[in-house]
Amino acid sequence: MTHDSEIRPFTIDIPQSDLDDLRDRLARTRWTVDLPDVGWSRGVPVSYLKGLAEYWRDGYDWRVHERELNSYPQFTTEIDGQNIHFLHVRSPEPDALPLMLIHGWPGSIVEFLNVIGPLTNPRAHGGDPAEAFHLVIPSNPGSGFSGPTREAGWDINRTTMAFAELMNRLGYDRYGAQGGDTGAVIAPGLGRLNPDNVVGVHTNGLSAFAEVSPHEVEELTAAERARIEHLAYLKTEGSGYAMVQISRPQTLAHGLHDSPVGQLAWIVEKFKEWTDPAAELPEDAVDRDQLLTNVMLYWLTGTAGSSANSYYETAHAGAWSARERSTVPTGVAVFPLDVSIRRTLELEHTIVHWSEFDRGGHFAAMEAPDLLVDDVREFFGKLR
């Protein structure tokens, strides 16, 4: 690890010229044309995207959300040659358990804004002060204010080691980890790396690398069989974005880095596909301003390419493949459209807590923060 272990306070301060440039680009978008009557079946319809981009240009106020983000203590430090940005929100309760919250793609620290208050200060949110957490919420290397990665090689295992070093640097030798999406790989990775330090791992959207054999399918519940069908969809028609990011992230990056509407479409499609299926549009599942703030963290930091590159690095390092079974107590929250199946997950994790919910989706901390907070409290309540 680097010798420069200083932790520096950080404040987001986007130059006005960057915001003016964004508005100018949005005003000059060259729009494509939809085929009639195809809806969302081929991706984001231009009729929908035009309306969202217009609101982004004329209705959305970045400065409001910049102030909200800056209301939480933020820091940067250099680990393994890479800038790492993180929120560090300490609880007013002295005996709070340190907990790292880890986002995935196309998420960011913005995903967790709705859960910071209830988790750090349950006393002020109708909860038990004995259930409080000190939160560490990093921007993944190559994402957001962790900035573009500076060299090749930042796969998921290297990120896991960097996050372990971050917790060590903050003086936390006993802590929990929570994550969804890529975070649901990094969080268990922290447990495998430091089983003596990580008291428990809580995940949402956790999926197994092992397959369910044909004879096992008959023993599954109807809900589990539906998850296998959905997983098949995700591996075929639902995997286009991943195949591009795994194979040619740099080619993709030119378009997303130059066109805010391109960046918006690339991310908002996932908020349509992965959020609660009961929601007709992405903003029916998550707050529209919060969705745009999440997109802003990609646009303003120029991290379309480096965040996509993490897929390339991880796939080419073979780091997605099956791992040895973790001995760390693991909790799994299953939201609609998650493909978690307990019997395959138990081959890789020591599962001591399992919850299934009928609302929410892939971005659980944004979509159903109340459910996620309660589940995190319940899981770690047994491990404090």
Side-chain angles (χ1 to χ4, degrees), residues 114-116 118-119 133 368-378:
N114 298 341
V115 302
I116 292 175
L119 289 177
F133 297 91
D370 56 328
L371 298 181
L372 187 68
V373 165
D374 286 348
D375 207 60
V376 166
R377 286 175 178 167
E378 184 184 341

Side-chain angles (χ1 to χ4, degrees), residues 204 274-279 284-285 333-338 355-374:
N204 55 286
W274 295 349
T275 49
D276 191 327
D284 298 331
V334 187
F335 291 88
L337 298 185
D338 286 347
S355 302
E356 300 194 9
F357 299 104
D358 60 4
R359 64 179 169 89
H362 186 78
F363 302 95
M366 295 173 93
E367 296 182 68
D370 56 328
L371 298 181
L372 187 68
V373 165
D374 286 348

Side-chain angles (χ1 to χ4, degrees), residues 242-254 308-309 312 316:
M243 293 312 299
V244 175
Q245 297 193 158
I246 282 169
S247 61
R248 296 294 181 269
Q250 189 60 45
T251 304
L252 170 70
H254 299 301
N309 212 44
Y312 180 98
H316 286 77

Side-chain angles (χ1 to χ4, degrees), residues 230-353:
H230 187 58
L231 181 61
Y233 166 80
L234 291 176
K235 285 181 173 178
T236 52
E237 193 166 325
S239 69
Y241 81 98
M243 293 312 299
V244 175
Q245 297 193 158
I246 282 169
S247 61
R248 296 294 181 269
Q250 189 60 45
T251 304
L252 170 70
H254 299 301
L256 303 190
H257 188 85
D258 188 57
S259 166
V261 162
Q263 179 69 88
L264 179 65
W266 193 246
I267 290 178
V268 83
E269 183 204 278
K270 296 304 149 208
F271 276 84
K272 164 67 174 173
E273 291 244 320
W274 295 349
T275 49
D276 191 327
E280 187 179 342
L281 294 171
E283 62 266 34
D284 298 331
V286 302
D287 178 78
R288 181 169 59 168
D289 271 28
Q290 211 167 48
L291 170 60
L292 288 170
T293 302
N294 182 70
V295 174
M296 285 291 266
L297 259 60
Y298 285 82
W299 176 259
L300 295 172
T301 60
T303 49
S306 54
S307 61
N309 212 44
S310 65
Y311 276 65
Y312 180 98
E313 300 285 5
T314 298
H316 286 77
W320 290 124
S321 54
R323 297 144 191 266
E324 74 280 7
R325 189 169 187 267
S326 170
T327 58
V328 174
T330 300
V332 180
V334 187
F335 291 88
L337 298 185
D338 286 347
V339 292
S340 310
I341 294 177
R342 186 161 185 163
R343 68 170 61 205
T344 54
L345 289 173
E346 284 181 331
L347 300 173
E348 298 168 22
H349 309 272
T350 301
I351 295 175
V352 300
H353 172 94

